[in-house]
Amino acid sequence: MEAVLEATFQVLRKHGPGALTTTRVAEVAGVSVGSLYQYFPNKRSLVTALHLRYFERVTGRLLAAIQGAHGLPLADAIRRTIGELLSAKRDNRELALALKASMAEIGGPSSLREATKLVTGSLEALLRAADPALDRPAVAARVLASALEGVVATALEDDAAALFDPTFEDELVALALGYLAARPGTRRAGAT
């Protein structure tokens, strides 16, 4: 199964979603089409499995970073979370780009929504713990997660070097902390 998923990635990366067929994937993986069909009945199931792998990799790392940031001052917690987000995106950049074009074909937005819900819930808990006075932390977590993901996704596509630039990370931290500091009931970002 690993070889089949790697072959799916290779076909998407080199040729795009229009060239993805079960026959081509089986060829690249070095397996028979019959063997491939035992695990993946169609190309949609191949792409879905690859999307799930991507979301598990990135979301798993992000959730672990958020959990590890509990108990830190808010500014440190945000920096740790953003640092791990950038690291996870850097490490999975090629996979993200290969999958981007296939998102619409397989209903990727629902997979993305599920991953976003997990991250947003965890981020909300972090914000509540770091600043109990924060007004409407669920809304703050949703806005913050969406804003960061949007900026990072744009960088991933248009300027991958930004993902390696410490100044870019600093700007994301400033964005997050500035947003949180401007919200009603928020203590100063560096307060414990």
Side-chain angles (χ1 to χ4, degrees), residues 76-150:
D76 295 340
I78 293 295
R79 180 164 295 280
R80 177 180 287 189
T81 301
I82 289 172
E84 190 58 34
L85 170 66
L86 291 174
S87 178
K89 292 290 185 171
R90 283 191 302 263
D91 293 349
N92 291 283
R93 179 178 181 269
E94 285 192 40
L95 181 55
L97 292 175
L99 288 169
K100 184 182 183 322
S102 65
M103 277 287 255
E105 283 186 33
I106 65 143
S110 66
S111 301
L112 179 58
R113 277 192 300 275
E114 198 57 41
T116 301
K117 279 183 192 177
L118 288 171
V119 170
T120 301
S122 186
L123 186 56
E124 177 187 351
L126 175 67
L127 293 176
R128 282 182 193 277
D131 188 353
L134 181 68
D135 186 45
R136 300 182 318 159
V139 173
R142 189 175 328 120
V143 169
L144 193 55
S146 296
L148 292 172
E149 179 58 34

Side-chain angles (χ1 to χ4, degrees), residues 42-60:
N42 51 43
K43 72 178 184 177
R44 178 185 172 101
S45 64
L46 289 167
V47 175
T48 299
L50 208 53
H51 270 274
L52 290 174
R53 170 183 279 178
Y54 172 76
F55 290 133
E56 286 172 359
R57 285 179 178 176
V58 173
T59 303

